[in-house]
Amino acid sequence: MSANFRSDNESPVAQPVWAALERANRGTAHAYAEDEWSRRLDGAFGELFGTEVSVLPVATGTVANAIALAATTPPWGSVYCHDQSHVYRDESGAPEFFGNGLRLVPVGGPDGKIGAAELAEALHDAEGHGVHSYAPAALTVTQSTESGSVYSPGELSELCEMARCRGMATHLDGARFANAVASLGCDPADISWRAGIEMLSFGAAKNGCVAAEALVFFERRELLETAERLRKRSGHLLSKMRYVSAQLLAYLEDGLWLELAAHANRQAARFAAAVENHPEARLEFPVQANEVFVRWSPEGLGLIANRDIEFNHWPGHDDLARFVFAHSTTDAETQALITAMET
Ligand SMILES: Cc1ncc(COP(=O)(O)O)c(C=O)c1O
């Protein structure tokens, strides 16, 4: 059977979200996020996180990240991020564009996670040159990471504390936040505001929605007006925002977001176990969410591709592939992948 493990972005919309869109599609509603669905977002997310929040619905993760970073960073400021992060590698310079030239500073660390020692060194490197150098203004961390690993609450707290004591803002790229919460089995607050995260790009499109993400401000809520201006100036204040907000509300209802993510994680874990038992293929990173990176010979990976199974080779590597599992991945699809690898 054919199956697609290229990206969770290629998954369909979850049925309850689709049904919510149908329900929202009746009659007129005020435009530009002044509709009844958008007005309920602060309350719904506040309840989820157990604290007061301000929420901006947007259509893409890229714009959520860029608005958060540009709102907190002056053009002469720098944003610290992992050297494999989406903001650094895959957003075509959007944070720099929105931030009028702000600088992204890549930081290393194993398994796609910023290391505390590496961050300390990078921050130390920026000291002592006054107005001649960029001013460290923000830290952005991805959870779950682009490598499919997950920060523990303690790891996040340590990084946030290092940023906070230097007066830097803290942002979490949560394109796959749901997969991280499902993996850790923690309270969403434990890997966001309680760990010191001030702003969160809460992803939903990869996990059952269509063009719906929420930029959540825990602290720095005074930046909301700046963020709203950036959203409008960039053409991201959708007139028909009710369709974005209705999805986000349905996504949160009755824990749907976690249920969908837990399913994706389980499929990934099943495949990871098969890779671990394989005589030649091996896991490149710990599998803690819904992405599995497999190191295998080009011929070995070719065996999978020949079985009509789609996946992505990691750019620049013909012996490294990424398999992404989604809320919609079926047992039969995962089995087809495992079988293709074993025969
Ligand atoms: C970690 C991460 N952050 C942000 C994004 C951006 O999402 P979008 O494609 O909606 O702009 C992605 C998308 O793949 C991602 O993987």
Side-chain angles (χ1 to χ4, degrees):
M1 80 182 289
S2 66
N4 179 345
F5 297 94
R6 284 160 41 91
S7 171
D8 37 11
N9 280 319
E10 301 191 0
S11 65
V13 178
Q15 197 47 47
V17 173
W18 194 259
L21 278 171
E22 297 251 13
R23 285 196 301 278
N25 193 31
R26 287 181 198 143
T28 61
H30 288 188
Y32 300 111
E34 286 178 12
D35 58 89
E36 59 170 287
W37 296 268
S38 301
R39 286 178 190 279
R40 282 166 47 206
L41 290 177
D42 287 359
F45 278 90
E47 201 173 306
L48 179 72
F49 285 99
T51 189
E52 217 172 306
V53 298
S54 298
V55 178
L56 287 195
V58 289
T60 72
T62 298
V63 87
N65 291 342
I67 289 175
L69 298 176
T72 47
T73 308
W76 54 90
S78 47
V79 175
Y80 290 71
C81 57
H82 195 274
D83 59 21
Q84 297 299 316
S85 63
H86 200 270
V87 289
Y88 186 62
R89 291 186 169 261
D90 303 296
E91 295 186 359
S92 201
E96 293 95 328
F97 173 67
F98 276 67
N100 294 310
L102 67 78
R103 172 175 287 177
L104 291 177
V105 179
V107 181
D111 301 332
K113 297 198 261 186
I114 294 176
E118 286 88 341
L119 180 60
E121 195 184 324
L123 290 169
H124 184 60
D125 213 42
E127 286 168 7
H129 204 37
V131 295
H132 301 277
S133 66
Y134 274 73
L139 168 72
T140 179
V141 183
T142 310
Q143 175 79 313
S144 56
T145 73
E146 289 81 357
S147 301
S149 58
V150 168
Y151 289 90
S152 68
E155 287 173 326
L156 278 182
S157 298
E158 185 180 10
L159 298 179
C160 288
E161 188 48 37
M162 290 169 71
R164 292 258 268 192
C165 70
R166 288 170 175 80
M168 296 161 65
T170 52
H171 167 254
L172 192 75
D173 176 350
R176 298 187 179 88
F177 185 77
N179 302 92
V181 175
S183 168
L184 291 165
C186 65
D187 188 314
D190 294 340
I191 52 168
S192 54
W193 64 273
R194 269 195 215 123
I197 294 292
E198 296 170 329
M199 302 167 293
L200 164 67
S201 301
F202 181 97
K206 294 181 188 345
N207 191 34
C209 295
V210 50
E213 315 274 322
L215 176 53
V216 182
F217 286 84
F218 300 106
E219 294 200 27
R220 308 243 174 184
R221 298 222 302 287
E222 75 284 359
L223 292 174
L224 197 68
E225 195 188 328
T226 306
E228 283 187 355
R229 291 276 181 191
L230 286 167
R231 181 175 64 171
K232 179 62 189 172
R233 277 168 65 85
S234 63
H236 279 271
L237 177 60
L238 306 188
S239 66
K240 298 266 176 92
M241 198 67 91
R242 71 165 132 158
Y243 296 100
V244 173
S245 301
Q247 289 181 70
L248 291 169
L249 292 172
Y251 184 62
L252 297 190
E253 207 169 304
D254 298 328
L256 176 69
W257 66 294
L258 274 182
E259 199 184 299
L260 298 173
H263 172 89
N265 289 0
R266 275 195 300 276
Q267 299 291 338
R270 203 175 138 214
F271 175 54
V275 177
E276 274 180 323
N277 288 328
H278 195 275
E280 291 168 10
R282 66 177 172 81
L283 297 175
E284 183 75 359
F285 303 114
V287 176
Q288 296 171 326
N290 66 323
E291 295 176 278
V292 181
F293 287 76
V294 177
R295 180 78 68 172
W296 198 9
S297 63
E299 297 74 31
L301 292 173
L303 292 176
I304 300 179
N306 287 342
R307 290 296 188 89
D308 208 10
I309 290 180
E310 295 182 86
F311 58 91
N312 280 329
H313 281 87
W314 207 235
H317 300 267
D318 57 7
D319 63 346
L320 181 62
R322 184 186 76 160
F323 298 83
V324 188
F325 297 78
H327 68 96
S328 55
T329 305
T330 64
D331 287 344
E333 286 168 335
T334 303
Q335 187 54 53
L337 171 58
I338 292 171
T339 306
M341 195 185 59
E342 287 172 347
T343 50

